[in-house]
Amino acid sequence: DAGVIQSPRHEVTEMGQEVTLRCKPISGHNSLFWYRQTMMRGLELLIYFNNNVPIDDSGMPEDRFSAKMPNASFSTLKIQPSEPRDSAVYFCASSFELARANTGELFFGEGSRLTVL
Amino acid sequence: KNQVEQSPQSLIILEGKNCTLQCNYTVSPFSNLRWYKQDTGRGPVSLTIMTFSENTKSNGRYTATLDADTKQSSLHITASQLSDSASYICVVSATGTGGSYIPTFGRGTSLIVHP
């Protein structure tokens, strides 16, 4: 299995531009997470999908951020317009969630490092 | 509010020495606790998982403990190697309604092993 695949690995853009980050979860996994990691705040959960449905998006900073999961094998995180404070590493993770209890391991991608100038 | 606190924030040790990282949590209802290792520039990778009934689990030179009564866990690294230099993140999962679960992440402990 190729693992969780994220693209791009690095993105440098100017303030105000639209940024789209992409994620392909591990085949067969039914849960997908988007995280943001900074030195100051560590890993922060942005949004969590289960069976392609957004379950918890309370971590999405503001309306500039949006995430979609049109099918079980693809998700996007979009920032429009981007701001310098959005600079961070964005991780996608997937897992297989069992009903009522979960011991599912989160499998992370390599991350997308975003720099907004 | 579910929280996971880790200590120390950072740690520097000499190669070959042992060290212990701490994790305290207030997550309910408890499902499981995992320790992840994150190498620089990579995504986190799971080292161990502890469920309610387990109090010790080993993975090579890594040994995790869990005290569900005091809601504390530790990760002990024996005979450290340069490759152990990484961030170690404690993640506690709760069982939610409808079968969903939300893992809560600690801020991590940054470990540097010097030759």
Side-chain angles (χ1 to χ4, degrees), chain B residues 8-9 16 18 39 46 70 84:
Chain B
Q9 186 174 359
N18 303 336
D39 292 317
S46 178
T70 61
D84 293 331

Side-chain angles (χ1 to χ4, degrees), chain B:
Chain B
K1 180 180 179 183
N2 290 335
Q3 288 187 313
V4 176
E5 301 288 339
Q6 291 188 242
S7 63
Q9 186 174 359
S10 61
L11 184 61
I12 301 174
I13 62 174
L14 292 176
E15 187 178 12
K17 298 296 185 182
N18 303 336
C19 67
T20 300
L21 315 179
Q22 301 290 345
C23 173
N24 296 337
Y25 62 92
T26 56
V27 175
S28 180
F30 177 85
S31 175
N32 63 79
L33 181 149
R34 284 186 182 270
W35 284 92
Y36 284 78
K37 179 186 180 188
Q38 184 177 20
D39 292 317
T40 301
R42 309 294 297 274
V45 176
S46 178
L47 289 173
T48 66
I49 178 174
M50 308 284 289
T51 55
F52 189 85
S53 60
E54 298 173 306
N55 52 31
T56 301
K57 183 172 284 188
S58 293
N59 177 3
R61 295 179 297 103
Y62 300 102
T63 300
T65 66
L66 174 66
D67 186 333
D69 291 331
T70 61
K71 298 186 177 181
Q72 296 180 326
S73 176
S74 66
L75 180 68
H76 185 75
I77 303 175
T78 304
S80 61
Q81 300 177 357
L82 299 179
S83 59
D84 293 331
S85 295
S87 180
Y88 292 85
I89 304 171
C90 178
V91 181
V92 185
S93 292
T95 300
T97 58
S100 66
Y101 81 108
I102 306 295
T104 301
F105 280 68
R107 292 284 304 275
T109 292
S110 177
L111 174 65
I112 297 174
V113 180
H114 277 315

